[in-house]
């Protein structure tokens, strides 16, 4: 089945179960300052879960555009390293607003995945996790659905670890949340990785395909969980991950909708169309960047615009690594439009705009990228340990426009780490200088810089549980 067919089958299946098909919302959350970008199907229904908004339906189904490149769910630095993470992906979802709950949510998911009429997946390849204390969900899976206990795993909330399973789903630091049950597909013993909850679970053998959340609480800023007016359901299944399963491939990058993108990326860069992770990064990033621009985001030095800028610059650096000499990124947009504009017409409508924005941004960064990389090489040659000093990170950021995660990306490739504290100290000093300089009408700082990164308001905004993001 092609990705587009799987998307359609999913929506039709849930329409058949009384759900209203609702369009994807914008990647830029409406009226939700707590959220950087739309990161899950449930975002547009947040107020329905909280009880503040009533709609004409109590069941909905969507295929939602999502970006996870900052904030609570940040996968930017996974892209290129795992088979399953994208910055942009489509999340298939079904929702109950105080209508059905655990039993129906689980049996719908199971029916769609395994019945011969729908995806017909082999049951023995599916593994299930439930929240530690959720005996109700455990019993539904084992007694009603018939999953053998050997393929059932109980998992608690795992705070912090970027990959590890966490069966208490939260949208962000505040908002609707609750225990969840996740369905994993076993891609086979020849792929490294352990079952969920094991020490090797960050491998890619068992891939989480579907998360079914039992929305029961609203978490407020003080951390307190308040029961929702009515228990609800929110589910999310990554279209690219289920497509990989259905197309008998392991990596998301091998599915139909990525083939033309990878080919176009290789052509634009002038490199081989092979398995190089940098090529995957570029093919991934063209999707998030194009969709974000189509939804009205522009590269800038703060907030959402800065995240977009970081993704574009990361793509440029990976293209450069593959030998790109001039602006190449914008040339891939047409392949994306050809692939996805039937489902998302906004891509075609905004194609010229997207290309223009990307080209301008690329050309601007190209001026400092080569030079910054050269300086970095010199500094790395003189390292006495495996730590890149804060001054180097700061110089690259401030003078050459390298977002911190770009430097971190390079560090990771060479098994080096960043002196984050040192960098933050220099950032604070710079902010203080900028503040005292702002009493003058001319900003002398901006005149001194090659690239006009005068302030870094994005940093606090994006700080993600101690990680540099
Ligand atoms: P993982 O543990 O693999 O990082 P997750 O638990 O963070 O996934 P959820 O927040 O539960 O993911 O999102 C629901 C579903 O969306 C997942 O089961 C998966 O199929 C898909 N998904 C999540 N993150 C990504 C991503 N970065 N790229 C592609 N698909 C994703
Ligand atoms: Mg994740
Ligand atoms: Mg998970
Ligand atoms: Mg999950």
């Amino acid at each position: 089945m092609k990705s587009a067919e799987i998307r359609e089958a999913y929506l039709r299946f849930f329409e058949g179960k009384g759900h209203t098909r609702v369009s994807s919302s914008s990647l830029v959350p409406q009226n939700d300052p707590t959220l950087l970008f739309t990161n899950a199907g449930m975002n547009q229904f947040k107020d329905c879960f909280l009880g503040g908004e009533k709609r004409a339906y109590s069941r909905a189904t969507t295929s939602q555009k999502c970006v996870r490149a900052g904030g609570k769910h940040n996968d930017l630095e996974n892209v290129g390293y795992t088979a399953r993470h994208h910055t942009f992906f489509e999340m298939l979802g079904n929702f109950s607003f105080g209508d059905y709950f655990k039993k129906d949510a689980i049996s719908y998911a199971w029916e769609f995945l395994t019945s011969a009429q729908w995806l017909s997946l082999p049951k023995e390849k599916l593994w299930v996790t439930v929240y530690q204390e959720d005996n109700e969900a455990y019993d539904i899976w084992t007694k009603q659905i018939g999953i053998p206990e050997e393929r059932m795993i109980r998992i608690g909330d795992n705070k912090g670890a970027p990959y590890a399973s966490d069966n208490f789903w939260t949208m962000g630091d505040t908002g609707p949340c609750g225990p969840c049950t996740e369905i994993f597909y076993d891609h086979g013993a020849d792929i490294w990785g352990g079952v969920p909850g094991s020490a090797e679970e960050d491998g890619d053998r068992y891939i989480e395909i579907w998360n079914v959340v039992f929305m029961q609480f609203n978490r407020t800023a003080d951390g307190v969980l308040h029961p929702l007016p009515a228990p609800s359901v929110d589910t999310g299944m990554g279209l690219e991950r289920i497509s990989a399963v259905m197309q008998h491939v392991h990596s998301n990058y091998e599915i139909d909708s990525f083939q033309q993108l990878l080919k176009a990326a290789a052509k634009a860069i002038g490199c081989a169309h092979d398995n190089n992770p940098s090529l995957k990064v570029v093919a991934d990033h063209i999707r998030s960047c194009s969709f974000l621009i189509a939804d009205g985001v522009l590269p800038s030095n703060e907030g959402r615009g800065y995240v977009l800028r970081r993704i574009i610059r990361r793509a440029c650096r990976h293209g450069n690594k593959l030998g790109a000499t001039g602006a190449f990124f914008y040339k891939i947009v047409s392949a994306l439009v050809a692939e996805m504009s039937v489902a998302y017409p906004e891509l075609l409508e905004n194609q010229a705009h997207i290309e223009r924005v990307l080209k301008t941004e690329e050309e601007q960064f190209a001026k400092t990228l080569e030079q910054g990389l050269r300086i970095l090489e010199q500094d790395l040659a003189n390292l006495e340990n495996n730590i890149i000093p804060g001054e180097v990170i700061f110089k690259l950021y401030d003078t050459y426009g390298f977002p911190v995660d770009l430097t971190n990306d390079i560090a990771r490739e060479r098994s080096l780490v960043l002196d984050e504290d040192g960098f933050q100290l220099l950032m604070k000093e710079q902010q203080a200088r900028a503040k005292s300089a702002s009493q003058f009408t001319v900003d002398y700082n901006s005149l001194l810089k090659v690239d006009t990164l005068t302030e870094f308001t994005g940093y606090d905004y994006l700080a993600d549980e101690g990680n540099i993001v």
Side-chain angles (χ1 to χ4, degrees):
M1 274 173 102
K2 288 199 162 14
S3 303
E5 290 164 348
I6 298 170
R7 184 199 295 120
E8 185 54 31
Y10 183 93
L11 297 171
R12 252 191 306 115
F13 173 83
F14 280 101
E15 280 178 325
K17 305 282 182 203
H19 293 63
T20 298
R21 190 189 289 222
V22 179
S23 304
S24 171
S25 62
S26 165
L27 284 169
V28 179
Q30 307 298 305
N31 308 319
D32 190 349
T34 70
L35 193 59
L36 180 66
F37 294 124
T38 298
N39 63 16
M42 55 75 62
N43 295 163
Q44 67 167 316
F45 302 115
K46 184 175 164 185
D47 289 339
C48 302
F49 291 119
L50 295 177
E53 188 186 337
K54 289 272 172 291
R55 302 212 180 179
Y57 44 82
S58 60
R59 298 176 173 211
T61 183
T62 59
S63 182
Q64 174 67 49
K65 302 183 277 189
C66 294
V67 165
R68 293 191 172 185
K72 169 94 178 88
H73 294 274
N74 182 9
D75 289 329
L76 182 64
E77 300 193 34
N78 293 331
V79 172
Y81 295 96
T82 72
R84 67 188 199 278
H85 288 106
H86 299 299
T87 49
F88 169 93
F89 64 101
E90 283 181 76
M91 193 186 287
L92 302 165
N94 55 285
F95 309 93
S96 150
F97 311 116
D99 188 324
Y100 59 88
F101 199 45
K102 295 186 185 181
K103 189 167 157 299
D104 288 329
I106 290 173
S107 47
Y108 290 159
W110 193 249
E111 183 185 344
F112 181 68
L113 292 177
T114 61
S115 89
Q117 202 195 331
W118 300 95
L119 300 194
S120 200
L121 290 182
K123 295 178 183 163
E124 66 282 2
K125 297 230 170 166
L126 298 170
W127 287 63
V128 174
T129 65
V130 294
Y131 186 55
Q132 195 79 45
E133 290 119 55
D134 195 348
N135 292 327
E136 192 187 347
Y138 191 91
D139 287 348
I140 296 171
W141 280 115
T142 50
K143 298 195 177 120
Q144 293 179 35
I145 304 286
I147 304 264
E149 304 222 351
E150 307 86 81
R151 295 207 307 277
M152 290 288 310
I153 298 165
R154 290 177 187 262
I155 288 180
D157 28 343
N158 191 327
K159 295 200 173 61
Y163 294 109
S165 290
D166 172 348
N167 278 43
F168 193 88
W169 198 89
T170 55
M171 168 186 145
D173 294 332
T174 61
C177 54
C180 64
T181 177
E182 296 188 325
I183 305 169
F184 286 72
Y185 185 84
D186 177 4
H187 278 268
D190 48 344
I191 295 158
W192 182 78
V195 298
S198 70
E200 296 81 34
E201 82 150 280
D202 58 349
D204 270 330
R205 172 174 172 182
Y206 297 87
I207 291 192
E208 176 189 328
I209 50 173
W210 203 343
N211 193 354
V212 176
V213 185
F214 308 120
M215 285 291 187
Q216 281 173 282
F217 306 103
N218 177 28
R219 181 146 73 184
T220 43
D222 52 7
V224 176
L225 296 175
H226 306 271
L228 290 178
S232 298
V233 169
D234 148 39
T235 90
M237 172 154 69
L239 176 61
E240 297 78 2
R241 292 189 192 184
I242 189 66
S243 298
V245 171
M246 293 305 290
Q247 294 170 16
H248 308 291
V249 293
H250 172 235
S251 160
N252 285 6
Y253 293 91
E254 295 171 67
I255 66 172
D256 57 342
S257 51
F258 264 98
Q259 290 320 302
Q260 295 309 318
L261 283 186
L262 288 161
K263 206 165 135 195
K267 185 163 173 245
I269 294 167
C271 66
H273 178 182
D274 59 13
N275 212 16
N276 194 314
S278 289
L279 196 61
K280 295 179 192 161
V281 170
V282 171
D284 171 272
H285 288 10
I286 195 63
R287 303 200 324 163
S288 48
C289 294
S290 301
F291 273 100
L292 285 171
I293 297 168
D295 277 350
V297 184
L298 286 171
S300 78
N301 286 339
E302 55 184 36
R304 297 185 172 118
Y306 190 58
V307 178
L308 172 61
R309 172 161 284 169
R310 286 159 52 208
I311 309 175
I312 298 173
R313 292 185 174 193
R314 191 168 187 258
C316 291
R317 210 276 295 181
H318 281 277
N320 178 282
K321 236 180 120 190
L322 292 169
T325 45
F328 69 94
F329 198 43
Y330 77 98
K331 293 182 186 160
I332 314 169
V333 175
S334 53
L336 177 68
V337 169
E339 192 62 52
M340 295 193 76
S341 65
V342 172
Y344 298 99
E346 64 267 35
L347 285 176
L348 182 61
E349 285 154 22
N350 292 289
Q351 181 175 350
H353 170 64
I354 298 167
E355 288 169 341
R356 215 166 29 240
V357 170
L358 290 179
K359 187 158 183 266
T360 308
E361 182 68 15
E362 275 188 277
E363 284 170 352
Q364 194 197 345
F365 187 48
K367 289 187 202 133
T368 55
L369 174 65
E370 295 261 4
Q371 218 181 338
L373 288 171
R374 225 173 13 248
I375 300 285
L376 178 64
E377 286 305 335
Q378 283 164 13
D379 286 330
L380 294 188
N382 296 326
L383 279 192
E384 279 155 19
N385 47 31
N386 70 337
I387 303 169
I388 303 186
E391 297 82 47
V392 175
I393 311 166
F394 183 76
K395 181 173 62 186
L396 287 170
Y397 165 76
D398 194 48
T399 311
Y400 301 100
F402 280 39
V404 178
D405 54 34
L406 198 158
T407 306
N408 199 28
D409 204 41
I410 298 170
R412 190 168 153 184
E413 287 163 12
R414 301 169 186 221
S415 306
L416 301 172
V417 292
L418 303 189
D419 171 14
E420 300 176 20
D421 292 343
F423 169 73
Q424 287 191 42
L425 204 69
L426 293 166
M427 281 306 302
K428 284 210 182 86
E429 282 173 21
Q430 193 217 36
Q431 275 163 357
R433 279 197 306 273
K435 213 170 183 179
S436 62
S438 67
Q439 56 189 295
F440 303 104
T441 45
V442 181
D443 178 3
Y444 292 102
N445 283 336
S446 72
L447 301 177
L448 293 172
K449 280 171 199 141
V450 181
D451 196 5
T452 54
L453 289 166
T454 47
E455 55 176 3
F456 194 88
T457 48
Y459 196 83
D460 287 343
Y461 183 52
L462 297 170
D464 185 8
E465 288 159 19
N467 297 326
I468 282 201
V469 294

